[in-house]
Amino acid sequence: MDAPPDNNTFVKPIKQCFVKNPRLMPMTRLMLTLISGWAGQRGAIETTTGILAKHLGRCRRQIFRYLQDAAEEGYLYYNRTKDRIGRYTGIRVWLNFPAIRFTRFRKSQTERKAAENLDVTLKAETNGNTYINRRMDDGLWDTLERFAASSGLVMPEKPPS
């Protein structure tokens, strides 16, 4: 068999868990990778089993086995397309992209909130330092006074016990 010509097409990064899945047939994995490259920015892929068979070097019956294998594992959903008379014209394939590809959801610049647009926090929503408001023991307060005196800090007045 001849090697395919390099026409600078590529497939976006795919997940290792997809590549390492032992339940998939090896050619099913290659077919899903090929279809994933065709899909671009998601959406349905309309093709025929003959086109897939030509690209993978297999018969159409084997392509149906690969499609069934991938559907059983949850990597895709497909159905046959018909014309107005009812003749089968091809297949329409929907891929489960989160199972195959690495997907990064970026927020656009309009969705991000700038720092100047953020609202202030209400006093009721803050977590107050409740340990200061409780009764403090005199030993801890004496230690804090000595530390403040040695550092040259002004000590606030002692809270009531």
Side-chain angles (χ1 to χ4, degrees):
M1 296 178 74
D2 294 333
D6 183 14
N7 56 2
N8 294 326
T9 56
F10 63 95
V11 177
K12 291 187 176 190
I14 54 178
K15 291 184 174 182
Q16 282 192 15
C17 62
F18 163 70
V19 174
K20 293 179 180 180
N21 188 350
R23 296 182 302 219
L24 281 179
M25 290 188 277
M27 285 303 293
T28 302
R29 190 175 301 113
L30 290 175
M31 180 192 70
L32 286 171
T33 305
L34 178 71
I35 294 173
S36 175
W38 289 352
Q41 299 296 323
R42 304 181 181 224
I45 300 119
E46 292 194 19
T47 186
T48 64
T49 55
I51 290 173
L52 286 171
K54 184 182 85 173
H55 283 284
L56 295 173
R58 298 289 187 263
C59 66
R60 289 183 297 147
R61 184 68 206 139
Q62 194 65 32
I63 297 300
F64 271 116
R65 287 189 195 113
Y66 299 151
L67 288 170
Q68 290 170 353
D69 184 32
E72 286 174 5
E73 290 298 319
Y75 288 111
L76 61 79
Y77 171 77
Y78 74 98
N79 63 9
R80 298 167 94 184
T81 57
K82 298 179 185 179
D83 62 3
R84 292 185 303 192
I85 302 173
R87 294 178 297 191
Y88 291 115
T89 57
I91 57 173
R92 184 175 293 128
V93 179
W94 292 271
L95 291 176
N96 181 4
F97 282 98
I100 298 173
R101 282 191 194 165
F102 170 73
T103 54
R104 181 184 342 188
F105 297 104
R106 292 184 179 174
K107 290 185 177 180
S108 66
Q109 293 292 344
T110 57
E111 292 178 21
R112 293 184 190 154
K113 288 187 176 181
E116 60 270 8
N117 293 339
L118 295 177
D119 198 6
V120 295
T121 307
L122 296 175
K123 182 69 176 168
E125 295 173 351
T126 59
N127 183 9
N129 293 331
T130 56
Y131 60 89
I132 292 177
N133 297 334
R134 292 185 187 154
R135 269 186 33 202
M136 298 185 70
D137 66 7
D138 293 328
L140 175 62
W141 196 256
D142 294 337
T143 306
L144 288 174
E145 284 179 343
R146 280 185 283 134
F147 176 73
S150 66
S151 302
L153 298 173
V154 177
M155 188 71 178
E157 65 181 60
K158 187 175 180 181
S161 312

